[in-house]
Amino acid sequence: MAYAEKVYKVRNGAKTKQFTWRARYKEPGGTWGSEPGFPTKKLAEEYGEQQEAAIRAGRWTDPALARTTFGAWAREWMAAKAPRGNTVTTRWARLDAHILPRWEKVPLQQITWFDAEQWANGLDCDDVTATHCLTLMSQILTGAVDKQMLLMNPLFGRRRSRTAAAKAAVQEKEQSDLWAPPDVVLRLARRAGPLDGMHILATAFTGVRWGESLALRPSSLRVRKEGDFACATLDVIEEVAEYSKRGPAGEKLGMVLDLEPVKTRESKRRIDLPPFLAELLSVYAAACKGEHLFTPRGGGKWRRGNFGRQVMRPCADGRGELPVVKGHAPRHAWEPIMPGLTMRALRHTHDTYQEQIGVKPALMYEQAGHKRPGIKAVYQHPTPDMRRDRIDGLQDIFLGGLKTLGWSGVWDEVDLPNPS
């Protein structure tokens, strides 16, 4: 049975007449637990009785564990999880940059939704990142509940409330996301040259994600046959992941750039190719000397930042003229085509094209590698006629881009070698 005992204060090594009360109660293992600091005997006894009642009901959490700091528990939780490498990197980036500077020394039991929401709304980062930081905190606190360090997760199931100005800023950013008209895609592809231009063209007309595009091989080109319908396809089964490897305590162990299976079941897919792209990729793959289709000129694997600096930024944003210097030929100036355009925006472009030509949702979600929500995902399926209409529509978009530019093809050269 719970009881209370006096705890005398000590000053200069000597016990004084001042005291507080400490609660004592039986823990599940039969040992005596304690909680000091109560001003009266009655409060200490009540606290001890509450602990024993919670133990009998099977809902007790050790108060000492609840005083564990968030930073200590977050590192233990991260060490126990083993998701994909890029996911680990993203989590540590959010912990290091935003979460731990504020919550590192805060005991788990002192975290409240009010404080967490106010903190997230004041973060100096984009709105999506702020929400993801709260989500990660909630996952970590749910782990504390599972380990019986907390009775409940104060962040579970809560939604952020934002000011009208913050909501407007998010909507403005969402509306500013780029997509590229077909003539822009063709101009970029021609400017980049057959090697990198094929990468640009394939992304805009297939919607492959960045990591997926780097993992494509000549053998990824296949053929789909359904009854009397047949078309060339591009099989997506793996991706190249780029992340900073972390140790159990979050220490950086160097960059990783390697192949991994695609993240979701929906991401593993066969993308139907319009005739123009099937023909170009066939020639490109036949001349490919490396293991993968899209690589830097020196071989290996592209890093996203390097491709952006070396290819997308000068091609889309333009570049200045450089005179001839020793060891380098002169460089002509390029006028901007579509400043700010990225490979991610070209994936958006593909889905925008699908909407433009009226691709049915059953096929649209499949080709983009997205999970379709709702019961219709169970009952509706792509048909050969849907596939035929889609590739015909993409072919028309491509031909329309050529007509707008007055071109007969994207590149003058037919041969599209890929140096090893």
Side-chain angles (χ1 to χ4, degrees), residues 198 201 205-206 221 229-233 271-283 387-399 402:
M198 182 58 71
L201 196 64
F205 281 90
T206 66
L221 290 168
F229 171 76
C231 74
T233 63
I271 303 175
D272 302 326
L273 300 178
F276 83 89
L277 189 56
E279 181 180 352
L280 288 173
L281 281 174
S282 178
V283 175
R387 297 188 186 281
R388 185 178 291 108
D389 289 344
R390 175 182 171 277
I391 61 176
D392 287 347
L394 292 176
Q395 181 78 3
D396 289 343
I397 287 178
F398 171 74
L399 295 176
L402 288 179

Side-chain angles (χ1 to χ4, degrees), residues 212-286:
E212 295 170 349
S213 71
L214 300 185
L216 294 173
R217 309 167 186 265
S219 59
S220 300
L221 290 168
R222 307 290 290 277
V223 175
R224 183 194 300 277
K225 292 184 179 180
E226 295 182 8
D228 62 349
F229 171 76
C231 74
T233 63
L234 199 59
D235 282 14
V236 177
I237 61 173
E238 56 189 354
E239 65 182 14
V240 172
E242 177 182 344
Y243 57 91
S244 175
K245 191 173 182 180
R246 298 276 190 149
E251 65 273 20
K252 294 183 179 180
L253 302 178
M255 287 297 300
V256 173
L257 195 66
D258 207 356
L259 288 169
E260 290 184 353
V262 290
K263 187 173 184 179
T264 65
R265 181 180 65 181
E266 292 75 24
S267 296
K268 186 177 180 179
R269 63 199 187 280
R270 305 188 74 183
I271 303 175
D272 302 326
L273 300 178
F276 83 89
L277 189 56
E279 181 180 352
L280 288 173
L281 281 174
S282 178
V283 175
Y284 186 94

Side-chain angles (χ1 to χ4, degrees), residues 140-179:
I140 293 171
L141 291 176
T142 295
V145 173
D146 293 341
K147 199 177 177 182
Q148 297 186 325
M149 302 171 73
L150 290 174
L151 190 59
M152 61 166 292
N153 174 5
L155 274 56
F156 181 78
R158 305 298 297 267
R159 294 187 62 182
R160 286 175 63 202
S161 58
R162 303 171 180 82
T163 64
K167 292 178 181 178
V170 173
Q171 293 172 353
E172 182 179 354
K173 181 180 185 300
E174 290 174 346
Q175 293 171 358
S176 67
D177 286 341
L178 293 172
W179 70 278

Side-chain angles (χ1 to χ4, degrees), residues 5-44:
E5 62 183 15
K6 289 181 180 179
V7 179
Y8 287 92
K9 295 183 179 180
V10 175
R11 184 179 295 111
N12 299 325
K15 186 170 69 173
T16 67
K17 294 182 179 181
Q18 295 177 322
F19 61 87
T20 58
W21 292 90
R22 176 164 55 203
R24 299 301 303 270
Y25 55 90
K26 270 287 185 66
E27 292 184 345
T31 58
W32 285 95
S34 65
E35 186 72 15
F38 294 94
T40 68
K41 179 180 181 180
K42 182 178 180 181
L43 288 176

Side-chain angles (χ1 to χ4, degrees), residues 75-204:
R75 289 179 171 83
E76 182 178 344
W77 184 86
M78 287 290 293
K81 299 297 178 179
R84 290 155 49 96
N86 198 43
T87 302
V88 174
T89 299
T90 302
R91 286 175 175 175
W92 273 116
R94 288 171 183 152
L95 283 166
D96 290 342
H98 304 295
I99 301 175
L100 292 181
R102 167 62 178 85
W103 302 101
E104 171 88 36
K105 302 298 183 182
V106 178
L108 294 175
Q109 63 184 1
Q110 292 183 14
I111 298 175
T112 67
W113 169 250
F114 180 85
D115 291 338
E117 183 186 41
Q118 293 298 104
W119 161 77
N121 288 340
L123 282 176
D124 185 19
C125 62
D126 64 87
D127 194 71
V128 172
T129 298
T131 298
H132 287 172
C133 286
L134 275 180
T135 300
L136 178 56
M137 282 187 67
S138 181
Q139 290 175 314
I140 293 171
L141 291 176
T142 295
V145 173
D146 293 341
K147 199 177 177 182
Q148 297 186 325
M149 302 171 73
L150 290 174
L151 190 59
M152 61 166 292
N153 174 5
L155 274 56
F156 181 78
R158 305 298 297 267
R159 294 187 62 182
R160 286 175 63 202
S161 58
R162 303 171 180 82
T163 64
K167 292 178 181 178
V170 173
Q171 293 172 353
E172 182 179 354
K173 181 180 185 300
E174 290 174 346
Q175 293 171 358
S176 67
D177 286 341
L178 293 172
W179 70 278
D183 59 300
V184 168
V185 173
L186 301 186
R187 290 172 63 196
L188 286 172
R190 174 173 283 193
R191 176 174 280 184
L195 298 178
D196 299 324
M198 182 58 71
H199 197 171
I200 291 171
L201 196 64
T203 301

